[in-house]
Amino acid sequence: RPHWLQDNAGLASLPHHPRNPVKFKMSPNSLFAILLRSPWWISFALVGLFSLAAAAVLPREYLFAGILGTFPFFAVGCVAAWRQWRAPSAARMAAAHAQIESLPWRGFADALEAAWRTGGHTVERLAPGGAADFVLTKDGHTLLASARRWKAATHGVEPLRELHAAMQARGTQAGLYLLAQGSLSDNARVFARDHGITVVQGDALALLFLGAR
């Protein structure tokens, strides 16, 4: 599945497919993944706690090795701190959400295109009325994005089926489905997961929108 570049930074970009298909993917429920999503100081607190425990129970000749074992938590704390320092403030995120919901289609589409181009992507707008609204290309990889129903009250599986059919017709295996309002049904979410479609909503959409600024 595609992954988000800069997913916790101030800018979000379209999914990127590396040329080397072998890559490490951290489980979202692993301890380090949870720590990356947590306040940065928690990781450093664990470093201090484990270091004190090592000093209390290990012989002096093994103390350095025990403290060195806390390095992964220190590294995770540094990454979490860097991401959280670069992340937009709550006020900026709230303003982005409000502006997204107030924009007409043309303004929303212009902002999306600007954000994707900022990320180095070639953007082609498609004719209205189709299953997809944009063709995005970067590093030889192409995906389709559907965004016109971003203000719909409900999002079922049918528009995702149509997007997937358009992806197959274009010969691409990745797609984006963007929504700012309403909710995505469970069936639609499962269909997206199983067919290479990334759903962009909530803060992920706000981060993408902020990339245009």
Side-chain angles (χ1 to χ4, degrees), residues 79-186:
V79 173
W82 177 76
R83 288 181 172 183
Q84 291 164 28
W85 177 71
R86 293 189 63 195
S89 66
R92 285 191 69 202
M93 292 292 287
H97 282 295
Q99 189 165 7
I100 288 170
E101 294 176 1
S102 67
L103 282 173
W105 164 246
R106 182 177 294 277
F108 183 61
D110 288 345
L112 290 177
E113 181 173 346
W116 284 320
R117 290 189 185 280
T118 297
H121 310 113
T122 300
V123 183
E124 175 191 353
R125 291 202 198 186
L126 300 177
D133 303 298
F134 302 92
V135 180
L136 311 177
T137 305
K138 184 177 181 181
D139 296 334
H141 300 288
T142 300
L143 61 83
L144 299 184
S146 175
R148 191 172 292 271
R149 299 185 74 252
W150 91 104
K151 287 187 178 182
T154 58
H155 301 263
V157 72
E158 190 56 34
L160 293 172
R161 291 187 190 278
E162 294 174 357
L163 176 58
H164 183 247
M167 290 161 52
Q168 290 181 310
R170 286 255 181 177
T172 181
Q173 297 182 346
L176 295 179
Y177 187 80
L178 295 87
L179 65 150
Q181 298 178 1
S183 59
L184 192 70
S185 71
D186 291 340

Side-chain angles (χ1 to χ4, degrees), residues 43-85:
S43 296
F44 292 124
L46 289 175
V47 171
L49 179 64
F50 293 150
S51 297
L52 289 175
V57 302
L58 293 177
R60 183 180 298 273
E61 58 268 26
Y62 297 115
L63 179 57
F64 177 75
I67 294 176
L68 189 63
T70 66
F71 179 77
F73 295 94
F74 177 79
V76 168
C78 290
V79 173
W82 177 76
R83 288 181 172 183
Q84 291 164 28
W85 177 71

Side-chain angles (χ1 to χ4, degrees), residues 7-21:
D7 54 351
N8 283 320
L11 299 181
S13 66
L14 81 101
H16 171 71
H17 303 265
R19 296 186 184 278
N20 182 2

Side-chain angles (χ1 to χ4, degrees), residues 180-197:
Q181 298 178 1
S183 59
L184 192 70
S185 71
D186 291 340
N187 287 341
R189 196 170 297 277
V190 170
F191 183 89
R193 181 197 66 197
D194 293 343
H195 293 84
I197 300 173

